[in-house]
Every structure is written in C-alpha cells, then in structure tokens.
Amino acid sequence: MVYGVRDGWRRDGFESHEGMVGVLLADGSEPKPVLFDLGSGSNFHESSDWWLYDGTFRRPTAVSMRGRCACGWRGTKTYPIDWEKVCEDDDPDAYDTSGPYGEWEAHLDDVAGRAVTLPEDLAELLGQVRERLDRLWWEEDKASAYAMMLKACDVLEAIVAETGPEAARALDREHDEGGTAPAVAEALGMTEKAARARLLHYEHLTWR
C-alpha cells in the first residue's frame, strides 16, 4: 500500500511530472486551491493537498480522489474518500492512496515509454561517474577528495557547455520547422514548459 506523501510523487529523470493526489467534489468538479491568510494583509498561501478538502472552515468537501500530475494529466478512475477513517486516524498520511499512485505510475510509464532513452553504454558510464563521485565523500583525505570532486565537476561542465547548446539549438530547429513543440517535450520526457526552459538553458549556456 501507498500512504500519503506530502511532498508529492517523483521519479528520477521526470522531475516536471510530479504526482499527487487530486480530489473531486460531489458534482464531479475539481476544487480550486485552498487559500490561507498568513496574517500579512495581501499575502495568501494556497494549497491543493487533498486532506484540506474536508468541509471544515467553509472549505469544499471532496468525495473522491484520483491521480494527478503537474503536466495536467488526471487519472480516469476515482476512489471514494472515507473522511471518518481520515479523522479516526487523525493523520492524512496514514490514509491509503495506492489507487491514485498506481494510476500516476502508469502515466509515468507511458511518458517514459515515449521519451528517448540513453544508449546502454552511455547510461552505464554516467552511472559509474555518479557512483565514483559518491565514493569520494568517504575518502580519508577529505581535502584532496573535495578537490577531485570539484575538478571532475569542471570537466563535466565543460562537456555540457560544449555539447548542450549545439544539441538544444539543433533539436529546437528540427521540431520548429514542423511546428511540433510537444514532440520536443515528449522526446525529453518533460512538460512543454519544462522542455522549453531546458532548451533555453542550453541555448544560452556558455563556458567560461
């Protein structure tokens, strides 16, 4: 079973597709975020955490939950919310959210299936680099280890600065010719907004 995760659901490599529990009201609509007055006049905090929609403090009462993703995806299957159970445990994190999570997982599998994958040898090499850098933290000569980590980061940054901009511009041109911006996002496994930000990041990256 999967229980409440207040920070949302994430998968490495698909950070713009953060998942969470979404809720529906009795009429089938999705409620607006709950606003909190922080006591500073015009400043308000808003949240869409599912357990806030319990009908208290004039908040709307949710009757069901479903999977939800930052990309705009919503699960098709709904799961009733037993508010008596939530109140009985007095801890929303103790409430089972396996259903919505499972649908979000399937959504991420679909996103991953349409995204490009790294060649096996390249993925293995990058994994080895990350593992070796992690091991440097445990070296006895800390000063030397930290210096080696920074040196390695310099080398990696140089590679990124040389390769990233050219690849970003080429990918952008290729897809802009066909007017298929969503295809860029699909290839990168990101939302369109995140993919565009990533391309701009690399297009303007310069190595100093």
Side-chain angles (χ1 to χ4, degrees), residues 10 35 52 61 72 92 95 104 137 141 152 154 164-165 171 189 191 197:
R10 298 181 179 87
L35 297 178
L52 297 174
T61 303
Y95 197 78
W104 174 80
W137 285 106
D141 187 346
D154 282 344
L171 181 62
T191 61

Tab-separated table of all heavy atoms in Angstrom, residues 10 35 52 61 72 92 95 104 137 141 152 154 164-165 171 189 191 197:
chain	number	residue	atom	x	y	z
A	10	ARG	N	7.604	11.524	-7.088
A	10	ARG	CA	8.605	11.894	-8.095
A	10	ARG	C	9.320	10.662	-8.622
A	10	ARG	O	9.432	9.654	-7.934
A	10	ARG	CB	9.634	12.859	-7.497
A	10	ARG	CG	9.041	14.184	-7.025
A	10	ARG	CD	10.118	15.093	-6.471
A	10	ARG	NE	9.604	16.372	-6.025
A	10	ARG	CZ	9.126	16.609	-4.826
A	10	ARG	NH1	9.117	15.638	-3.919
A	10	ARG	NH2	8.661	17.796	-4.505
A	35	LEU	N	-7.040	28.693	0.128
A	35	LEU	CA	-6.230	29.863	0.456
A	35	LEU	C	-6.078	30.002	1.962
A	35	LEU	O	-7.020	29.790	2.720
A	35	LEU	CB	-6.873	31.132	-0.109
A	35	LEU	CG	-6.996	31.221	-1.638
A	35	LEU	CD1	-7.693	32.512	-2.027
A	35	LEU	CD2	-5.619	31.143	-2.287
A	52	LEU	N	-7.141	18.762	2.849
A	52	LEU	CA	-7.696	20.058	3.226
A	52	LEU	C	-9.167	20.187	2.844
A	52	LEU	O	-9.889	21.018	3.397
A	52	LEU	CB	-6.896	21.187	2.577
A	52	LEU	CG	-5.427	21.303	2.993
A	52	LEU	CD1	-4.745	22.378	2.160
A	52	LEU	CD2	-5.316	21.621	4.483
A	61	THR	N	-16.096	20.054	0.368
A	61	THR	CA	-15.876	18.673	0.792
A	61	THR	C	-15.648	17.777	-0.422
A	61	THR	O	-16.515	17.672	-1.297
A	61	THR	CB	-17.079	18.135	1.586
A	61	THR	OG1	-17.321	18.977	2.715
A	61	THR	CG2	-16.805	16.717	2.065
A	72	GLY	N	-0.645	18.221	-16.050
A	72	GLY	CA	-2.041	18.420	-16.404
A	72	GLY	C	-2.826	17.134	-16.512
A	72	GLY	O	-4.062	17.151	-16.588
A	92	PRO	N	-3.609	12.309	7.920
A	92	PRO	CA	-3.854	12.047	6.498
A	92	PRO	C	-2.799	11.155	5.862
A	92	PRO	O	-3.076	10.438	4.900
A	92	PRO	CB	-3.862	13.436	5.862
A	92	PRO	CG	-3.612	14.407	6.929
A	92	PRO	CD	-3.475	13.726	8.223
A	95	TYR	N	-3.608	7.462	5.512
A	95	TYR	CA	-4.678	7.035	4.612
A	95	TYR	C	-4.082	6.453	3.330
A	95	TYR	O	-3.167	7.015	2.739
A	95	TYR	CB	-5.579	8.225	4.271
A	95	TYR	CG	-6.912	7.832	3.697
A	95	TYR	CD1	-7.939	7.369	4.519
A	95	TYR	CD2	-7.144	7.914	2.331
A	95	TYR	CE1	-9.172	7.022	3.989
A	95	TYR	CE2	-8.368	7.566	1.790
A	95	TYR	CZ	-9.380	7.111	2.617
A	95	TYR	OH	-10.601	6.752	2.081
A	104	TRP	N	-0.906	7.145	-11.450
A	104	TRP	CA	0.176	8.076	-11.797
A	104	TRP	C	1.406	7.310	-12.261
A	104	TRP	O	2.077	7.716	-13.220
A	104	TRP	CB	0.516	8.952	-10.588
A	104	TRP	CG	1.699	9.839	-10.821
A	104	TRP	CD1	1.722	11.021	-11.506
A	104	TRP	CD2	3.049	9.606	-10.397
A	104	TRP	NE1	3.007	11.540	-11.524
A	104	TRP	CE2	3.841	10.696	-10.848
A	104	TRP	CE3	3.659	8.591	-9.660
A	104	TRP	CZ2	5.204	10.783	-10.599
A	104	TRP	CZ3	5.022	8.687	-9.411
A	104	TRP	CH2	5.775	9.768	-9.877
A	137	TRP	N	33.223	10.986	-1.203
A	137	TRP	CA	32.845	11.551	0.090
A	137	TRP	C	33.463	10.770	1.252
A	137	TRP	O	33.614	11.289	2.358
A	137	TRP	CB	31.319	11.541	0.245
A	137	TRP	CG	30.619	12.597	-0.547
A	137	TRP	CD1	29.886	12.416	-1.683
A	137	TRP	CD2	30.587	14.013	-0.280
A	137	TRP	NE1	29.395	13.610	-2.146
A	137	TRP	CE2	29.805	14.612	-1.295
A	137	TRP	CE3	31.137	14.825	0.713
A	137	TRP	CZ2	29.566	15.986	-1.343
A	137	TRP	CZ3	30.887	16.195	0.673
A	137	TRP	CH2	30.117	16.755	-0.342
A	141	ASP	N	41.428	11.289	2.935
A	141	ASP	CA	41.995	12.622	2.718
A	141	ASP	C	40.872	13.519	2.171
A	141	ASP	O	40.682	13.640	0.963
A	141	ASP	CB	43.154	12.539	1.734
A	141	ASP	CG	43.887	13.875	1.596
A	141	ASP	OD1	43.334	14.897	2.041
A	141	ASP	OD2	44.995	13.880	1.041
A	152	ALA	N	36.369	17.174	-11.173
A	152	ALA	CA	35.503	16.348	-12.019
A	152	ALA	C	34.299	17.157	-12.495
A	152	ALA	O	33.876	17.048	-13.657
A	152	ALA	CB	35.042	15.115	-11.247
A	154	ASP	N	34.222	20.340	-12.983
A	154	ASP	CA	34.714	21.260	-14.012
A	154	ASP	C	34.746	20.580	-15.377
A	154	ASP	O	34.354	21.159	-16.395
A	154	ASP	CB	36.111	21.768	-13.662
A	154	ASP	CG	36.076	22.854	-12.597
A	154	ASP	OD1	34.990	23.411	-12.357
A	154	ASP	OD2	37.137	23.129	-12.006
A	164	GLY	N	25.785	20.725	-25.011
A	164	GLY	CA	24.398	21.085	-24.758
A	164	GLY	C	23.810	22.134	-25.687
A	164	GLY	O	22.756	21.899	-26.299
A	165	PRO	N	24.443	23.306	-25.831
A	165	PRO	CA	23.860	24.351	-26.673
A	165	PRO	C	23.636	23.915	-28.117
A	165	PRO	O	22.598	24.205	-28.708
A	165	PRO	CB	24.897	25.476	-26.583
A	165	PRO	CG	25.564	25.257	-25.269
A	165	PRO	CD	25.655	23.766	-25.135
A	171	LEU	N	17.870	20.560	-32.011
A	171	LEU	CA	16.586	19.929	-31.709
A	171	LEU	C	15.456	20.923	-31.851
A	171	LEU	O	14.399	20.623	-32.407
A	171	LEU	CB	16.609	19.352	-30.290
A	171	LEU	CG	15.341	18.630	-29.819
A	171	LEU	CD1	15.068	17.412	-30.688
A	171	LEU	CD2	15.479	18.216	-28.358
A	189	GLY	N	10.750	13.730	-22.210
A	189	GLY	CA	10.020	13.212	-21.057
A	189	GLY	C	9.657	14.305	-20.076
A	189	GLY	O	9.592	14.077	-18.868
A	191	THR	N	7.261	18.216	-19.345
A	191	THR	CA	6.146	19.041	-19.769
A	191	THR	C	6.680	20.017	-20.818
A	191	THR	O	7.882	20.240	-20.911
A	191	THR	CB	5.556	19.838	-18.597
A	191	THR	OG1	6.576	20.712	-18.077
A	191	THR	CG2	5.089	18.911	-17.480
A	197	ALA	N	12.077	25.527	-21.178
A	197	ALA	CA	13.041	26.132	-20.256
A	197	ALA	C	14.389	25.434	-20.367
A	197	ALA	O	15.450	26.075	-20.297
A	197	ALA	CB	12.519	26.052	-18.824
